[in-house]
C-alpha cells in the first residue's frame, strides 16, 4: 500500500474521530486507527488478487461516512474540482450544457455570451469530434471532461449542425465560466419586481444587489418577489449577505452551534440594507434547502416577508470541508444552524448507523417571531400561505425524457431559424400541436397511467387468488376498456401541460434560459398568489403581525 493512501486514511479517521475525542480521550481512538491501517495494509498486500489502492481508499472512506448522515462524504482530488464549481459557480470551459442522445452528445444550451455562444453553437448541434478525436459513442461526462480546461486554452469542436446537417469545426478559446446565481430578474406587474435566485455561491450577494439595482433603473420598484423554490442552498455566509439587503445592519440572522472548537458562531448583517421596507414575498417549496431556508426562515422570523408555497426541505445541518492531504477533502457535518426565533428547521434525525428518522411530533418545539407569531422547528420552513407545488404530468415528463419534445423543438427551429419571439407571450399554434401529435403517434411510448397499473395489479391478484366470478371479471374488463390512457387520449388530457413544456423548450432556443423562465411565469400559480398577496396590504399586515404557522 502506498504511503499516500495510508496517510490519507489516517487523516480521514483522525478528522472523523475528533469530536469523539472531546468526550473519549482514551487509548481506544489510537488503537482503532492503528488497526484500520494494519487491516488495509494486509488486504492490499496479502489478498489473493491485486487491488486498486484508490478503490480501497474510497470503500474505507465511504464506510466511515455511511454511518453519519447523507451530507458527509469523502471528496477525492478529482471530485473536489466539481465541488468547487458548485460552491463558486465557476469553471474553465466553453460554457454549454450538453445532453445524451443515443450514441451522440448534443448541445442542450449554450450560455448567453459564452465561448460556445460566440462560436455559433446551437441547441441540437451534434458534437462529433473534439480536438480531432471522434466523440461518437462518448458519454456526456467524457465529452464534458474534454471540453473543460484552463482558461485561455483552445479546443477544436466539430459539430453536425441542427439547421442543415453540415459539419463545422470551431476553434474555441476556453474562458472562466461563471454560472449565474440569479437566473432571472424583471417586472411581473407594474411596480412588482421578481428575482429567481437559484443557488448561494460566493458571488450571489453581488449578483442579487446588481439585479435589484437593475430593476430600480428600469422602473419604480415598489414590491418584490423572491423565488427560492428551486434553490438547494450553498454557502451560509452568502445567505447572511443576501439578508443584509432587506434587514437592518447588525441584525442577528443565523447562529451556528457545533461541538468542535470554533464551530459555534452568531452571524449578523454587516451592510446597510438596500431595500429595508419594501413589501416582500418569498416563494418556497420542497426543493428550498439549507441557505435558502436560512434566508426565507430568517425573513419569516423577523416578520420581514410573507412566505408563500409549500413546506421547505428541512436541512439545518452545516458542513465543513476538511483537508486530508494530496488534494482530497472530507465534507463533514460540524454544526446545526438556528434562525432568529431560535428554531432549527432540520427535518430528519440520523442515528449513529446513518438511518434517517423524522422528528416526532412530541419533540417539535414552539418558537416566536419578532412580532410574537408561533413558528415551529423540526420540519422545514412552513409557509404563511400555502400554494401546492405544480408538477408536470407523468405523460408530459415521459415525452420530455424520451427526447420527443427536443426533437420537435429541433424541427421547429430548422423551419424558423430567423423567428423573433416575445418569450413572455409566446405559444405554439394549434397547427404546431397537431404536428407534435403526429410525431408522438410515430413513436413507441412506454407509458402506463397509475390507474392502468393499479387495474393490472388488481387483475393479477384476482387471478392469483382464483376469483373466477364472471360478474367481477366483467367489471374489471369494463374498467380497462374505459380507461383513457392511450397516446391520443393523453395528448388531449394533458394538452396544456405538454404545450407549456414545448413552449419553454422553444423559448430557450430563441431567448436563452431567461426566455424559458419568462415563458414559464405566464401560468405560474405561485407568482399569481404572490401578486394577489402584494395587492392586499391588509392581509399582508395581518399575516406579519398575528398569523401563526401550522406545525406540520
Amino acid at each position: 500500500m502506498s504511503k499516500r493512501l495510508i496517510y490519507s486514511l489516517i487523516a480521514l479517521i483522525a478528522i472523523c474521530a475528533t469530536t469523539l475525542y472531546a468526550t473519549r480521550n482514551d487509548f481506544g481512538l489510537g488503537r482503532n486507527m492503528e488497526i484500520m491501517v494494519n487491516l488495509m495494509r494486509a488486504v492490499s498486500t496479502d489478498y489473493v488478487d491485486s487491488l486498486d489502492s484508490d478503490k480501497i481508499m474510497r470503500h474505507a472512506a465511504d464506510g466511515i461516512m455511511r454511518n453519519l448522515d447523507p451530507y458527509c462524504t469523502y471528496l477525492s482530488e478529482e471530485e473536489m474540482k466539481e465541488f468547487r464549481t458548485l460552491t463558486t459557480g465557476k469553471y474553465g470551459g466553453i460554457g454549454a450544457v450538453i445532453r445524451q442522445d443515443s450514441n451522440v452528445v448534443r448541445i442542450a444550451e449554450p450560455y448567453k455570451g459564452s465561448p460556445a455562444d460566440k462560436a455559433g453553437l446551437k441547441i441540437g448541434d451534434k458534437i462529433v469530434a473534439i480536438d480531432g478525436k471522434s466523440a461518437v459513442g462518448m458519454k456526456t461526462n467524457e465529452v464534458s471532461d474534454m471540453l473543460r480546461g484552463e482558461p485561455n486554452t483552445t479546443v477544436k469542436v466539430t459539430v453536425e449542425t441542427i439547421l442543415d446537417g453540415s459539419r463545422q469545426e470551431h476553434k474555441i478559446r476556453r474562458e472562466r465560466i461563471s454560472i449565474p446565481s440569479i437566473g432571472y430578474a424583471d417586472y411581473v406587474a407594474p411596480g412588482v419586481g421578481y428575482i429567481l435566485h437559484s443557488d448561494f455561491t460566493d458571488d450571489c450577494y453581488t449578483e442579487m444587489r446588481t439585479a435589484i439595482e437593475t430593476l430600480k433603473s428600469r422602473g419604480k420598484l415598489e414590491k418584490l418577489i423572491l423565488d427560492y423554490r428551486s434553490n438547494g442552498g450553498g454557502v451560509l455566509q452568502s445567505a447572511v449577505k443576501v439578508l443584509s439587503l432587506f434587514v437592518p445592519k447588525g441584525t442577528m440572522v443565523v447562529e451556528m452551534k457545533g461541538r468542535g472548537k470554533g464551530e459555534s458562531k452568531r452571524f449578523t448583517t454587516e451592510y446597510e440594507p438596500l431595500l429595508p421596507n419594501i413589501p416582500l414575498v418569498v416563494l418556497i417549496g420542497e426543493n428550498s434547502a439549507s441557505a435558502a431556508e436560512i434566508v426565507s426562515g430568517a425573513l419569516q422570523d423577523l416578520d420581514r416577508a410573507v412566505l408563500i408555497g409549500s413546506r421547505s426541505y428541512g436541512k439545518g445541518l452545516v458542513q465543513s470541508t476538511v483537508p486530508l492531504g494530496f488534494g482530497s477533502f472530507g465534507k463533514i457535518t460540524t454544526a446545526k444552524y438556528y434562525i432568529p426565533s431560535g428554531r432549527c428547521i432540520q427535518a430528519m434525525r440520523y442515528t449513529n448507523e446513518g438511518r434517517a428518522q423524522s422528528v416526532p411530533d412530541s419533540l417539535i418545539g414552539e418558537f416566536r417571531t419578532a412580532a410574537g407569531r408561533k413558528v415551529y422547528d423540526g420540519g422545514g420552513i412552513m409557509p404563511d400561505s400555502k400554494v401546492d407545488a405544480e408538477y408536470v404530468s407523468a405523460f408530459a415528463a415521459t415525452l420530455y425524457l424520451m427526447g420527443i419534445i427536443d426533437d420537435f423543438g429541433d424541427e421547429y427551429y430548422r423551419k424558423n431559424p430567423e423567428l423573433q419571439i416575445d418569450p413572455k407571450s409566446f405559444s405554439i399554434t394549434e397547427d404546431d400541436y397537431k404536428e407534435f401529435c403526429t410525431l408522438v403517434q410515430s413513436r413507441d411510448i412506454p407509458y402506463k397511467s397509475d390507474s392502468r397499473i393499479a387495474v393490472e395489479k388488481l387483475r393479477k391478484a384476482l387471478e392469483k387468488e382464483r376469483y373466477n366470478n364472471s360478474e367481477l371479471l366483467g367489471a374489471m374488463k369494463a374498467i380497462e376498456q374505459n380507461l383513457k390512457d392511450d397516446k391520443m387520449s393523453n395528448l388531449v388530457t394533458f394538452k396544456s401541460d405538454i404545450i407549456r413544456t414545448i413552449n419553454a423548450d422553444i423559448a430557450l432556443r430563441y431567448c436563452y434560459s431567461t426566455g424559458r423562465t419568462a415563458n414559464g411565469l405566464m401560468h405560474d400559480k405561485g407568482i399569481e398568489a404572490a401578486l394577489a398577496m402584494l395587492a392586499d396590504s391588509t392581509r399582508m399586515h395581518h399575516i406579519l403581525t398575528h398569523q401563526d404557522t401550522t406545525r406540520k
Side-chain angles (χ1 to χ4, degrees), residues 271-346:
Y271 311 115
E272 293 294 339
L274 188 60
L275 300 173
N277 302 309
I278 190 172
L280 189 62
V281 164
V282 178
L283 298 176
I284 62 169
E286 63 180 20
N287 293 319
S288 308
S290 188
E293 292 175 295
I294 291 175
V295 171
S296 55
L299 291 173
Q300 185 180 58
D301 281 357
L302 297 169
D303 305 301
R304 178 64 186 86
V306 171
L307 273 54
I308 293 178
S310 55
R311 186 176 74 174
S312 66
Y313 183 81
K315 182 180 182 292
L317 305 178
V318 181
Q319 283 72 49
S320 301
T321 52
V322 183
L324 304 176
F326 300 98
S328 62
F329 282 74
K331 182 160 74 78
I332 302 170
T333 299
T334 55
K336 295 180 179 180
Y337 71 74
Y338 299 79
I339 49 182
S341 64
R343 55 180 169 148
C344 177
I345 51 79
Q346 176 65 24

Side-chain angles (χ1 to χ4, degrees), residues 23-36:
T23 55
R24 291 194 58 191
N25 188 4
D26 58 20
F27 171 73
L29 177 62
R31 178 194 64 198
N32 289 324
M33 289 174 61
E34 184 175 348
I35 290 171
M36 177 62 75

Side-chain angles (χ1 to χ4, degrees), residues 8 37 68 138 266 285 344 347 387 394 408 438 455 472 480 547:
S8 295
V37 172
L68 302 177
M138 286 187 180
R266 289 165 63 90
C344 177
V387 174
F408 180 79
T438 300
V455 168
L472 182 59
E480 289 179 306
Q547 181 177 297

Side-chain angles (χ1 to χ4, degrees), residues 145-163:
D145 288 343
M146 293 185 72
L147 293 178
R148 291 190 180 190
E150 290 297 316
N152 296 320
T153 59
T154 59
V155 59
K156 291 181 181 178
V157 182
T158 305
V159 299
E160 185 178 299
T161 67
I162 186 65
L163 285 177

